[in-house]
Amino acid sequence: LSDCLACDNCMTSEEGARVFQQNQKELFRVLNFNKKCDTSKHKVVAVSMCPQSLPYFAAKFNLSVNDAAKRLCGFLKSLGVHYVFDTTIAADFSILESQKEFVQRYQRRNQEEHALPMFASACPG
């Protein structure tokens, strides 16, 4: 989130409230809470890793991307994170859906004035 430009173009106010809750301070507060209390009162902590972040860690620590993923996952679990999810499949679905939409728009380009151009983006933050 530190790379976010805070342009508010990618989310609604409800999503903004959820993103606000996902910060480093809140993460460590929950992890510390989990260490101090009974396991029945633990809050489940899940982290998602995007495929774009892994090459950075791999290059920084001179590792392969797979090794970087394994080590980062192990590090997060050692902090007390319960689940670590890879978002690669979600990114793949997003690309497939964008492709499908583009083909539909391209086929309608002569019937609809605003079928093209089609704009798409992915937040770099």
Side-chain angles (χ1 to χ4, degrees):
L1 290 175
S2 63
D3 290 337
C4 178
L5 301 175
C7 65
D8 289 336
N9 289 326
C10 65
M11 62 184 133
T12 64
S13 60
E14 184 177 308
E15 290 165 329
R18 287 189 191 124
V19 168
F20 178 75
Q21 295 171 352
Q22 299 177 22
N23 61 58
Q24 183 178 354
K25 186 178 179 181
E26 179 63 13
L27 172 65
F28 285 113
R29 187 191 71 72
V30 170
L31 292 174
N32 287 328
F33 172 81
N34 284 353
K35 287 178 185 175
K36 295 175 185 175
C37 71
D38 183 86
T39 56
S40 66
K41 297 178 183 177
H42 278 194
K43 293 187 176 188
V44 175
V45 180
V47 172
S48 60
M49 282 194 302
C50 66
Q52 296 89 340
S53 64
L54 293 175
Y56 166 79
F57 288 106
K60 174 115 175 120
F61 299 107
N62 198 25
L63 300 167
S64 71
V65 173
N66 285 338
D67 284 343
K70 288 175 187 174
R71 289 188 184 201
L72 186 56
C73 182
F75 172 71
L76 291 168
K77 293 231 175 184
S78 75
L79 292 177
V81 171
H82 296 94
Y83 301 101
V84 180
F85 296 104
D86 180 350
T87 62
T88 302
I89 194 164
D92 290 346
F93 279 124
S94 176
I95 290 169
L96 289 173
E97 288 301 313
S98 292
Q99 175 190 22
K100 182 177 160 185
E101 182 180 352
F102 176 77
V103 169
Q104 290 171 348
R105 285 169 168 258
Y106 184 79
Q107 290 171 342
R108 295 190 321 252
R109 72 187 182 282
N110 294 327
Q111 290 86 22
E112 291 182 29
E113 181 181 348
H114 299 292
L116 292 176
M118 178 181 133
F119 297 100
S121 70
C123 175

